[in-house]
Amino acid sequence: CLASLILFCAPVGAQNIDSGWILQALARPAPMRTAFVEVRDSPLLKQPLRLSGEYRRPIDDTLVREVRTPYREITTLRNGEASIARDGKPPRTFSLSRVPELASLQSSFGALLAGDRAQIERVYRVGAQGDRTRWTLTLTPKDKALAARVRDIVLYGQGAELRCIETRTVKGALQRTLLASAALAVKANMDAAALQSLCRNGVK
């Protein structure tokens, strides 16, 4: 799954945009961090699983995902490997080549934060819609291994803020990750419809 590491929204007018403008607007150097709320839906779950925590990018080649609720877990992606440490269990380390979604997450985050349009377009077909007050960026995998699992990834934002990411799998499961202002606006009693509106439309 992807995620955002953008912390503010620039004051810009309603002008039509393309993918190049969005990628440049999202570019941020390390170190940086942002809160997230992740909602996973699946036919195998009685109700969506909701996780909350923080994404960190301490240096350019490292991404850290810390889950704080409903359990504690830290995943670190670095040098082609993933390390997972969860309370009450021994740490695990494995190659990202075994999990193309995580490899894509690390490379895509790095490319997004570097404003590297060429790297993004090597991995995905990219489509943009909207204007500078509200936009979407759709990433469709080119890589066969990733495309066999992930149908597409849709980023929702406003100005220079990446607010939410929706990842659809080939099997139909949806993972929604709210970030920055959207993550901070999540309430415990929000239902699926309210979370979707917050993701796609932002804080009102």
Side-chain angles (χ1 to χ4, degrees), residues 53-99:
E54 183 180 70
Y55 274 105
R56 297 192 296 275
R57 190 170 176 255
I59 56 178
D60 286 345
D61 66 348
T62 300
L63 177 65
V64 179
R65 174 180 178 272
E66 181 179 355
V67 177
R68 295 172 179 167
T69 304
Y71 54 81
R72 298 192 65 86
E73 178 183 87
I74 298 177
T75 301
T76 303
L77 308 183
R78 181 191 300 122
N79 296 329
E81 290 188 336
S83 175
I84 301 177
R86 187 167 180 175
D87 283 358
K89 295 185 177 181
R92 295 183 293 133
T93 300
F94 55 88
S95 172
L96 289 177
S97 62
R98 293 173 47 193
V99 189

Side-chain angles (χ1 to χ4, degrees), residues 15-51:
Q15 303 175 33
N16 291 335
I17 58 170
D18 60 16
S19 59
W21 183 90
I22 295 172
L23 293 174
Q24 285 300 312
L26 297 184
R28 296 289 184 277
M32 53 94 58
R33 62 207 303 158
T34 190
F36 77 86
V37 174
E38 182 180 298
V39 183
R40 299 179 185 175
D41 197 6
S42 168
L44 301 178
L45 298 174
K46 292 183 178 179
Q47 59 184 10
L49 176 63
R50 188 182 300 187
L51 310 175

